[in-house]
Structure formats: C-alpha cells, structure tokens
Amino acid sequence: MPLSIAPGGQAVLFASSEAHPLIKTGGLADVAASLPAALRELGQDARLIIPAYPQAKRLVRELRVLSELGLKNTQGPVSLLGGLLPDRDLPVYLVEAPAYFCREGNPYTDVSGGDWGDNPERFLLFARVLARVALGLPTLDWRPDVLHCNDWQTGLAPVFLNSYEERPATVFTVHNLAYQGVFDRATFDRLALPPALWSIGGIEFHQRMSFLKGGIAFSDRINTVSPNYADEARTAQYGCGLDGLLRQLGSRFRGILNGIDYRTWDPLQDVSLAQNYDRDSLELKATNKLALQHHFDLPEDEHCLVLGHIGRLVEQKGVDLILDLLPRLLEQGNIQLVVQGEGDRALEQRLLDQATQHPSQLSVRIGYDEARAHLIEAGSDLFLMPSRFEPCGLNQMYSLRYGTVPIVRRTGGLADTVVDTTADSLASQEATGFLFDEANAEALWGALERALRLYHQEPANWRQLMQNGMTKDLSWEASAKRYQAFYEEALQSRSEQAAALSA
Ligand code: GLC
C-alpha cells in the first residue's frame, strides 16, 4: 500500500459503493470520503474500499495492483488495487472485477435509468471481497480491526463474516432504509447462497431476500445517520418493513449525525464560486447570485429572491411538492427558482416543461455537477428541502454553511439540523431556517411565506439568521468521535462474543 502509515488507533476498513470525488450519486459519496478522513485526523487508520469503476480508476493517485484474489465462481479474475484519493491522503482500495464494474456512468443503473440486471451478482461479489480483505489478505500486510459497511450494496459482507472466529468487528450504517437490495427467490438460488440464510434469522424478507437486512441483522453495531431518523426508523411509518428488527436491536442501533467536510464546503475557500465570502462579508454573496443567474440563463438581478434545490428528483425528496407550489410561487414575481438533479424521468419532464413555460423564473439542469452544486449553495437566498423522509440530508447543512437559509420539512436529520425561526429563536440567535410539518404544497407555502416576510420586512434579522447558520458547528469532529466510540463498543461486544464461543 503506498500509504502504509499506521497512525495507531483502530484500523478501519470503510466500505461503500460510491465515494466523492471518484463517483457520486448522493450523500453517501460525501460521507464515504469525509468520514474516513475525519477518523484519520483522530488517529484512526481508516481506509476506504469501493468497486473499481472506470471513472474511479482514472482518478485514484498512485494506483497499483496489490493482490490477485483467486476467488472461485466469478466471471473473470478479481484483484485488489490500491492508491490514494486525488484530493487528500486517504488510502483507497479498488475492487477490480471488469465483468462486474467496468461500466461508465451511474454505478447502479444502465443508460435507460433501470437497475443493472446483475446488481445482485455485482454486490455479492463486492461483499465477498470485503469479507476476504477483512479477514486479512496475506499479501496486504494490513488487517482491519473494524469493517464499517454502508448501505445494502455492502450488506452481505457481515453475513459472510459472521461464522469466522477471527473476524474483525462489524459496523453497519444505513443511509436510507428505502433502498434495500431486495430480490426474488430465483435470485437467491442463482447466487448459490447458503440455504440456511433463507429464514427469518437470515436474509429472507417477506418471501424475498434482502441485502440490507443482512447488514442489519449480522453486524455487531448498526446505526443510521441522524438521531431523529433512528427514532423514526423504529416506527411502521418510516421503517420500510424493518422497524421490528430495528426495535429488537435495542441500543445496538442508534443515530449518529453526519458531519460535512469543512475543507470542501467553505465559502471562503471554495474555488467553484464567483466570489468567496464569510459571515462578516455577506454582502459579497450577491456576486454569486449574479453568477448563478447567468449560469442558469435567468435574468441577472441581485434584488430578485433566488430559491435553490439540489437532489435526486424522486418522490422521497418532495419534488412534487415543489411542482405543486410553482403556480403560487411564480405569481409572486421577483422570485426565481433553480433546480439541479436527476432521477424519476416523469418528474424531470414536469420540471423541464414548467421551465420552458416560465423561462425568466425557473431554470432546471438535469444531471449532477459538483461545481454547479457549490454555486447553487452560494448564490441562492433560500434552499428548499421538502423531503417526505430524510435520513440526514447534507444539502441543508451545506446551505447553512453558505448563509443560504434552508426551508425544510420537519423529518429525519432535517429536524436535527435546522432550527425553526420564531421570535424566541431569533432573540436567542438559535434560529437557522424554516420548518413545516405536513408533506404538501400548502404547508411548504406557509413556511416560505414566513421566510419571505422576514426577508422583506426585517433585513437585520434576516442577516442574523444567515449568520446563525454559518456559525453552527456542522463539522465531522464531534460525529467522528462518536463513531470512534461506536467502534470501541463493536470491538468490545465482538470480543465478548468470541470469549463466549471459546468457553
Ligand atoms: C442518503 C440519505 C441522506 C443522507 C445521505 C448520507 O443519501 O438519503 O439523507 O444524508 O445518505 O448519509
């Protein structure tokens, strides 16, 4: 491994199906790069592992072959590559298996937007390699104390490791309960998994198989990405069928709030902005608004209120609420809305149609562009996040850091990170945004009206609100320490279990 430094502390292998800047479809990618980096700053020897997608291979520094894995029953050879992330000294392993991962574009879907038909095979293979590396590869000279898996794509690794006496502790993080990796019985048979796994205590889930259930049921410690979503996840309304299992886990399951990467998301250093600024130079932010309007082909006017939205264009994110809000919003005049994202083709089309009808007020970019995301965060006045559910949400935190006031639904991590504006919370300088409860355009409009009133009638309070958000500590520091303690717990319970087995 090029960086074979062992800073002491625990050795952590952080497994994810995406990591920024190698490949990104959502917030998981941001967490997968920034949490291991924060752990390293605490003295943990954290290393990342993801599949060797072509775009990832192009970006990793000092890439080399570390080990041929000689796995049986695979399509073609499987090997482990190693290198460093392009923008920081974080060691990364890539699972090279061309028949499975050598595909351009989205890591999960083909060009038509449908899931790759062999996703079960692809992420079964990924999990097999994770288990191999976790048990210690003779050629690697490094062995993790903790395997930290994330989301369903890694869910089978703790299942495979479970029966090994010499295994590391396992921690599993759920970034979204709605994505479960559920497949039919025929797939289970095709994957040739041990028949005993087709059971309530295994990965069987309502007559189908669930990768996510595997990760949850077989790991030493399990968490999700905010305390509030952890509470919601234990209810039938939000639990996506796994609430019973999560309740059974008791204190083995909890919420640890995500942090954001202060190096990447810093309005004073951000190279994607037209103008850097901080809480003491907020007047400079307007230059970014003009650049944003220019970028989105909207009339450039710094007195026009700009709303931003970034996210997967899916029902979860409440894009339909924004669509329903449009008639009322656009009739206000002097308001513009910019949207970036991709997802559900019908929602994309509805947005594009509206943009065609209202070219001076609404502009939409389908796709995901990181630099543009930074410009939206900096150039907007308000950021809309009307999610139906939100395990954590990162964009509202980026907004806070950029002095862009978030309007969010009171759910999941949104409720944990945004403080509603009231006379009291303004006076105590705690207010950072606007919250609403019901998942409909009416409720969203109510929050927006409150925001517009403050913006137009109380400029000094508005400025204070922006500054409150910018002052909030959203960094990884506190949460990375919580993960460190969580790893300790996992190791402790692992060794108690091992002692019980050998007794
Ligand atoms: C998923 C969740 C989002 C969370 C992110 C990172 O994308 O939907 O709420 O912030 O993962 O944990």
Side-chain angles (χ1 to χ4, degrees), residues 25-31 151 173-177 179 225 258 312 316-317 385 389-397 413:
T25 71
L28 169 62
D30 289 4
V31 173
D151 278 354
T173 301
V174 180
H175 295 263
N176 194 333
L177 274 175
Y179 296 87
V225 286
N258 284 332
R312 276 176 296 116
Q316 176 206 337
K317 300 287 180 181
M385 229 164 144
F389 64 96
E390 195 61 73
C392 178
L394 297 172
N395 283 312
Q396 84 281 12
M397 294 201 260

Side-chain angles (χ1 to χ4, degrees), residues 51-121:
Y53 312 109
Q55 48 275 64
K57 280 171 69 180
R58 286 195 292 271
L59 287 168
V60 166
R61 278 187 291 145
E62 298 173 35
L63 187 67
R64 61 188 180 118
V65 181
L66 298 174
S67 188
E68 299 295 339
L69 294 179
L71 289 184
K72 294 201 184 76
N73 301 321
T74 62
Q75 283 180 53
V78 180
S79 51
L80 194 69
L81 315 180
L84 296 169
L85 277 195
D87 53 348
R88 57 177 103 223
D89 285 343
L90 175 66
V92 53
Y93 299 111
L94 299 182
V95 176
E96 172 83 317
Y100 299 82
F101 299 122
C102 187
R103 300 173 196 182
E104 297 285 346
N106 188 294
Y108 318 118
T109 58
D110 59 25
V111 280
S112 71
D115 287 345
W116 290 110
D118 60 349
N119 274 350
E121 279 82 0

Side-chain angles (χ1 to χ4, degrees), residues 249-377:
L249 293 174
S251 64
R252 282 173 57 208
F253 169 66
R254 76 190 66 152
I256 301 178
L257 191 67
N258 284 332
I260 61 171
D261 185 358
Y262 268 31
R263 245 185 43 180
T264 315
W265 294 94
D266 176 2
L268 203 51
Q269 311 278 340
D270 194 327
V271 290
S272 306
L273 306 194
Q275 171 68 57
N276 292 115
Y277 62 98
D278 64 9
R279 63 186 301 266
D280 300 319
S281 55
L282 274 177
E283 62 288 347
L284 299 177
K285 194 173 183 293
T287 309
N288 293 304
K289 182 191 285 195
L290 295 172
L292 179 66
Q293 290 165 324
H294 181 76
H295 185 102
F296 275 83
D297 299 318
L298 291 167
E300 290 164 45
D301 173 3
E302 68 169 278
H303 300 295
C304 186
L305 188 87
V306 177
L307 315 185
H309 177 77
I310 302 168
R312 276 176 296 116
L313 301 177
V314 294
E315 214 200 50
Q316 176 206 337
K317 300 287 180 181
V319 194
D320 51 320
L321 267 56
I322 298 181
L323 278 160
D324 291 348
L325 180 77
L326 280 180
R328 231 179 304 190
L329 184 71
L330 300 178
E331 101 193 355
Q332 295 296 303
N334 226 18
I335 284 193
Q336 297 169 340
L337 170 63
V338 298
V339 177
Q340 143 158 312
E342 67 183 323
D344 187 290
R345 295 289 143 100
L347 289 171
E348 289 177 0
Q349 198 52 51
R350 281 176 67 192
L351 280 167
L352 289 170
D353 290 346
Q354 288 293 323
T356 311
Q357 283 176 35
H358 306 278
S360 63
Q361 284 189 283
L362 172 62
S363 185
V364 176
R365 295 288 181 273
I366 302 300
Y368 189 83
D369 182 90
E370 188 72 13
R372 192 162 57 207
H374 284 243
L375 191 57
I376 294 175
E377 291 292 6

